[in-house]
Amino acid sequence: MSSRRIAIFDTTLRDGEQSPGIALQPDEKVEIANQLELLGVDVIEAGFAVSSPGDFEGVRAVARTARSATVATLCRTRREDIEAGAEALADAQRSRIHIFLATSPVHMEKKLQLEPAEVVEHADWAVRYAGERVDEVEFSCEDATRSDPDFVAEVCRTAIRAGATIVNLPDTVGFALPMEYAGFLNEVRRLCPELAGVTLSAHCHDDLGLAVANSLAAIDAGVRQIECTVNGIGERAGNASLEEIVMAIRVRGNALGAETGIDPSQIGAASRLVERLTGYDVPRNKAIVGANAFAHEAGIHQDGLLKDLSTYQIMDPEELGVSMTLPLGKHSGRHAFARACAEAGVELERDELTAAFRRFKELADTGRPVALRELFVAKVAT
Ligand code: KIV
Ligand code: ZN
C-alpha cells in the first residue's frame, strides 16, 4: 500500500497549555519548541497570542526561534486576535494563523449568540483578514462533530474561498466514535468538494478515551494533518497524544498506509521535558512514555522477553529513548531473579539460588519492594 505523509501539528504549547494550572513562560515555550523541532513536527501551535501579554511573548519567542517548523497561533474571528497573532508571528520563518469558530447549534446559539448566516460571514471576513498578514491560514469549525454536516460544508467552502489552505474539523468535546468521525469527515468532503484542494486536519479530545482512535480513523478517512500534544495534555481529559499517534503510525504504517516525519528517538526526551516544565506527571501506565510502558514484572513475560524481546514488545524502547525494565516483584520468575542476581554481581550455586528465590517470593508477597541486598547482605554492594 502506498504511504501518505501525515503532517504533525503539535499543540502542546496552546491546547496542552490550556490544561488547568499550566502557565509556561516564554523561555520554557522556546525550550519545548526546540525539542519539538528535534522531534520533527511540521507545525508548532505556540499559543493564543491575544490571550495574555505573556502568551503573546511566548508565541513571539517561539516564532523567532523555530527553524524548520511552521509556527501557528490561535485566533477567534476578531480583529484584535488576528492583529496580535500576526504581530507575534512576524519573525517566523513560516507563519500560520489558526482561526476557529463554532458551527454546532449549541455553540452558535448559547455561546456565540450568532445566527448561522453570521457565522458564515465572520468566517469569511476573518480568513481574508488573516490571509493578508501571514503565510497561511488554517480554519477550524469548532465542535464540528456536533454540527450539521451541510452547515459545516458551507462554512468550509466559505473559508476555502476566502483563502484557508488547511481546514480542521475537530471533535472538540471528545464525543465522536471512531467510525462516526470517519463517516462525518467523508460526508463533509462529499458535500464540500473544495476540501480536496486543501489540507484536511483532525483534532480530537479524549473525553471518552477515544482521541487517538478517532485520529487514526481520521487518517483512514483521508486527513493529512493530525493535531496532538506531547503526553496527551490538553483541555479536560486532554488531546490525542503525539507519541501514541506517531508510534501507531510507525508500528502499523502498512495497515494505515501512512507515515510521519517524526524522529522516534526524540520522543522520550520530549515527554520528560513536557512533564517537567508543565508539572503534569505522566501516568505510569501511559502508552509509549509511561514508566510501565516497557516494564515487565510477570515471570512468564520476563522469561519470554529474556528469550526473545518480540514475545511481549511490539516496539524497541531504545528507539524511543526509553529503557526496558524487568522489575522484581511477587509475579516475577526464577529466570529474571537469577539474571538480576548475576547483574548485581552475586554468584550463586543452584541450591543457594533456590533458597534465595523462595525467600524473595515470601518478602515480595507482602507487597513491599524487595531489594536484593536484603537477601544477600554480604554479597551485594550498596
Ligand atoms: O478543541 C478544539 O476545537 C480546539 C480548536 C480551537 C481547534 O482546540
Ligand atoms: Zn482542542
Side-chain angles (χ1 to χ4, degrees), residues 337-338 341 346-354 356 376 379:
F337 178 75
C341 293
V346 182
E347 303 285 337
L348 296 173
E349 296 298 329
R350 195 179 168 79
D351 290 352
E352 288 178 307
L353 177 66
T354 303
F376 316 106
K379 296 191 179 192

Side-chain angles (χ1 to χ4, degrees), residues 14-15 74 98 100 140 142-143 168 170-172 203 205 227:
R14 197 281 296 171
D15 211 321
L74 190 68
H98 176 191
F100 74 106
S140 284
E142 193 191 13
D143 205 15
N168 181 39
D171 184 30
T172 301
H203 174 119
H205 280 272
E227 307 196 357

Side-chain angles (χ1 to χ4, degrees), residues 39-378:
L39 262 178
V41 307
D42 300 276
V43 185
I44 298 173
E45 187 165 52
F48 190 174
V50 82
S51 68
S52 74
D55 218 38
F56 179 91
E57 289 308 329
V59 175
R60 180 148 68 178
V62 173
R64 287 181 173 162
T65 319
R67 285 287 148 264
S68 51
T70 298
V71 183
T73 185
L74 190 68
C75 294
R76 292 166 296 186
T77 54
R78 295 193 185 173
R79 188 182 296 268
E80 65 270 26
D81 286 36
I82 296 169
E83 288 176 356
E87 193 185 333
L89 293 175
D91 296 329
Q93 299 283 325
R94 185 155 185 86
S95 55
R96 179 185 298 186
I97 280 189
H98 176 191
I99 292 178
F100 74 106
L101 186 59
T103 48
S104 64
V106 63
H107 277 232
M108 290 192 291
E109 281 165 37
K110 309 282 185 208
K111 183 183 81 172
L112 299 173
Q113 296 172 342
L114 290 176
E115 292 298 324
E118 293 174 298
V119 166
V120 174
E121 265 172 43
H122 285 219
D124 183 54
W125 173 83
V127 172
R128 286 180 200 280
Y129 197 67
E132 291 161 9
R133 288 163 174 76
V134 283
D135 294 319
E136 59 195 30
V137 180
E138 170 169 340
F139 185 83
S140 284
C141 297
E142 193 191 13
D143 205 15
T145 51
R146 293 194 299 169
S147 309
D148 172 7
D150 281 303
F151 183 59
V152 171
E154 183 184 347
V155 176
C156 289
R157 187 173 309 112
T158 303
I160 293 167
R161 287 187 182 155
T165 52
I166 306 99
V167 172
N168 181 39
L169 297 178
D171 184 30
T172 301
V173 290
F175 176 71
L177 301 175
M179 55 282 196
E180 265 176 6
Y181 192 40
F184 172 77
L185 295 169
N186 283 326
E187 175 69 348
V188 176
R189 282 203 310 196
R190 190 183 66 76
L191 294 166
C192 177
E194 291 86 343
L195 281 168
V198 302
T199 300
L200 185 59
S201 172
H203 174 119
C204 299
H205 280 272
D206 211 27
D207 301 67
L208 291 174
L210 294 172
V212 170
N214 282 338
S215 303
L216 297 178
I219 291 174
D220 205 37
V223 305
R224 285 196 287 128
Q225 175 179 279
I226 290 291
E227 307 196 357
C228 49
T229 60
V230 174
N231 296 341
I233 60 171
E235 286 280 356
R236 308 179 308 282
N239 286 73
S241 127
L242 178 146
E243 54 280 1
E244 292 177 27
I245 288 171
V246 165
M247 290 313 293
I249 294 175
R250 192 166 171 82
V251 175
R252 302 305 313 278
N254 286 344
L256 288 162
E259 62 186 5
T260 71
I262 298 296
D263 175 357
S265 71
Q266 295 296 331
I267 284 179
S271 169
R272 290 188 290 270
L273 180 65
V274 169
E275 181 176 41
R276 179 167 63 78
L277 294 181
T278 61
Y280 266 49
D281 291 342
V282 174
R284 292 192 70 82
N285 62 333
K286 161 97 174 56
I288 319 292
V289 290
N292 290 356
F294 298 97
H296 311 267
E297 188 196 290
I300 294 169
H301 290 217
Q302 292 180 332
D303 181 54
L305 285 156
L306 290 172
K307 290 171 176 153
D308 189 319
L309 292 175
S310 70
T311 51
Y312 288 102
Q313 277 184 180
I314 56 166
M315 290 165 269
D316 177 2
E318 303 298 330
E319 189 195 41
L320 299 163
V322 298
S323 311
M324 178 182 91
T325 56
L326 299 178
L328 293 179
K330 72 174 265 194
H331 308 102
S332 301
R334 185 185 166 100
H335 195 168
F337 178 75
R339 186 174 119 134
C341 293
E343 280 175 358
V346 182
E347 303 285 337
L348 296 173
E349 296 298 329
R350 195 179 168 79
D351 290 352
E352 288 178 307
L353 177 66
T354 303
F357 185 55
R358 190 177 310 121
R359 176 78 188 125
F360 163 75
K361 280 285 198 179
E362 281 165 12
L363 291 173
D365 245 345
T366 65
R368 69 168 177 82
V370 184
L372 287 183
R373 65 179 164 280
E374 294 179 57
L375 305 170
F376 316 106
V377 179

